[in-house]
Amino acid sequence: MIRIGLAGWGDHDKLYEKGTAARDKLKVYGSYFDLVEVDSSFYAVQSQANYERWAADTPTDFGFVIKAYQGMTGHQRGRSPFPDEETMFRAFRESIGPVREAGKLKAVLFQYPPWFDCKKAHVEELRRTRERMDGLPLALEFRHQSWFAEGMREKTLSFMEREGWIHSICDEPQAGSGSVPTVLHPTDKRLTIVRMHGRNAANWNGGGGPNWREVRYLYDYSEEELLEWKTNLSVLEERTEEICLIFNNNSGGHAAGNAAGLMAMLGQQVKAFAPQQLDLF
């Protein structure tokens, strides 16, 4: 089974008629896609009430990939709102309870930063994280190519299989050590995550100017590139029961169109986007 969705649901203007209230957007989103990545959870541990509402606003057969809070992956700068790591992890676990209880949790995504390289201390950190999140489906995404360097790739994949990490496979620019190759190797027979970040190499590492963070994911996948991924998904399906593919190329508003294009290539039902009114003023 292949599910296709987007990172977040609030910023994809193509999906919504003008004037759609923010509180109603997830309900509308769920009529187009059966999967979404929650990225607001990266910036703050969300309330249980939010997750209760999101679970209620989506169809029965809907899936959430929830991004781990930034303090849990080493991204956080400045003072933490939590007194210690145990409290932080416990708060996050409790917060996502409603989605898990609704049977809609596909995975918690741990995306580590570019400075999280392959060394013993970081391997031990992954083990501690797995213990703290025991019982939950966890996906792991690296942003430092040392994990897949010659001589380390098979060790990394074997470690993920032993420790129970779902592989989050990336499509992203190959732009130095702060990027990883596309490694078509599931580490969990039940589920594999694929995240489509675009291939904007000029802005991936901040070399494209002061607004690089805003345009980092500015990319429109071509038909040829989507067909390439149709083939890749066929390869992955041979080794995993379910694939959750997320388009994260949001900077230019291309994610929804690319997702619909790939769905059509796979023979999945595609709903026409909302008609867009021309705003003259």
Side-chain angles (χ1 to χ4, degrees), residues 201-210 212-213 216:
N203 288 291
W204 188 251
N205 294 316
W212 71 275
R213 292 184 185 277
R216 187 180 199 186

Side-chain angles (χ1 to χ4, degrees), residues 8 30 55 104 209 214 230:
K104 296 183 177 183
E214 298 174 15
K230 179 183 178 182

Side-chain angles (χ1 to χ4, degrees), residues 23 46 90 100 117 166 170 223 268:
R23 65 179 177 275
Q46 300 295 306
R90 184 168 60 252
R100 185 185 184 192
D117 56 351
I166 297 163
C170 299
E223 181 177 358
Q268 298 183 6

Side-chain angles (χ1 to χ4, degrees), residues 4-6 33 226 245 247 249 254-264 268 270 273:
I4 295 176
L6 313 177
F33 304 106
L226 294 179
L245 186 147
F247 278 90
N249 53 324
H254 298 114
N258 288 164
L262 182 55
M263 289 169 66
Q268 298 183 6
V270 180
F273 295 157

Side-chain angles (χ1 to χ4, degrees), residues 29-276:
Y29 176 97
S31 69
Y32 294 103
F33 304 106
D34 61 1
L35 175 72
V36 76
E37 179 181 304
V38 179
D39 50 10
S40 57
S41 54
F42 174 79
Y43 300 100
V45 173
Q46 300 295 306
S47 67
Q48 286 192 15
N50 280 349
Y51 286 112
E52 288 174 358
R53 185 172 69 255
W54 297 339
D57 282 350
T58 49
T60 303
D61 186 28
F62 189 89
F64 290 86
V65 174
I66 301 176
K67 200 168 183 182
Y69 174 60
Q70 60 183 331
M72 297 158 64
T73 53
H75 286 87
Q76 192 168 52
R77 292 292 176 265
R79 187 173 182 177
S80 171
F82 299 98
D84 52 58
E85 290 189 351
E86 294 299 330
T87 302
M88 175 175 60
F89 274 83
R90 184 168 60 252
F92 183 90
R93 285 186 62 114
E94 291 174 354
S95 74
I96 67 174
V99 170
R100 185 185 184 192
E101 292 164 9
K104 296 183 177 183
L105 176 64
K106 290 300 174 183
V108 177
L109 171 66
F110 280 78
Q111 177 196 297
Y112 285 89
W115 53 88
F116 192 86
D117 56 351
C118 184
K119 62 182 182 182
K120 186 175 180 58
H122 289 157
V123 171
E124 292 305 315
E125 182 174 341
L126 292 175
R127 288 197 171 102
R128 287 194 301 273
T129 294
R130 196 68 192 85
E131 291 174 358
R132 287 166 168 160
M133 302 295 284
D134 185 47
L136 294 173
L138 303 186
L140 177 56
E141 180 173 321
F142 295 113
R143 281 283 172 87
H144 195 283
Q145 65 180 214
S146 59
W147 296 93
F148 296 117
E150 185 177 355
M152 291 306 303
R153 171 174 162 167
E154 295 306 320
K155 293 180 180 178
T156 295
L157 294 169
S158 295
F159 167 81
M160 293 171 68
E161 290 170 355
R162 290 195 311 272
E163 297 290 321
W165 285 100
I166 297 163
H167 189 187
S168 177
I169 298 171
C170 299
D171 183 285
E172 65 188 36
Q174 298 307 290
S177 61
S179 58
V180 295
T182 298
V183 179
L184 299 177
H185 185 114
T187 56
D188 188 303
K189 66 180 181 180
R190 294 162 297 180
L191 179 67
T192 297
I193 306 290
V194 176
R195 297 179 78 224
M196 308 289 285
H197 298 303
R199 302 177 182 181
N200 188 347
N203 288 291
W204 188 251
N205 294 316
N211 66 332
W212 71 275
R213 292 184 185 277
E214 298 174 15
V215 299
R216 187 180 199 186
Y217 303 105
L218 178 59
Y219 194 80
D220 187 8
Y221 282 94
S222 68
E223 181 177 358
E224 291 75 17
E225 289 166 337
L226 294 179
L227 284 170
E228 172 190 333
W229 266 101
K230 179 183 178 182
T231 301
N232 289 345
L233 293 172
S234 296
V235 172
L236 294 175
E237 279 189 298
E238 296 176 359
R239 299 185 61 181
T240 192
E241 296 171 7
E242 184 175 4
I243 300 167
C244 288
L245 186 147
I246 296 288
F247 278 90
N248 188 39
N249 53 324
N250 294 340
S251 295
H254 298 114
N258 288 164
L262 182 55
M263 289 169 66
M265 291 178 181
L266 295 171
Q268 298 183 6
Q269 184 175 356
V270 180
K271 177 184 173 182
F273 295 157
Q276 301 296 305

Side-chain angles (χ1 to χ4, degrees), residues 13-24:
D13 293 339
K14 294 178 180 179
L15 305 182
Y16 312 112
E17 294 184 5
K18 186 177 180 181
T20 300
R23 65 179 177 275
D24 296 326

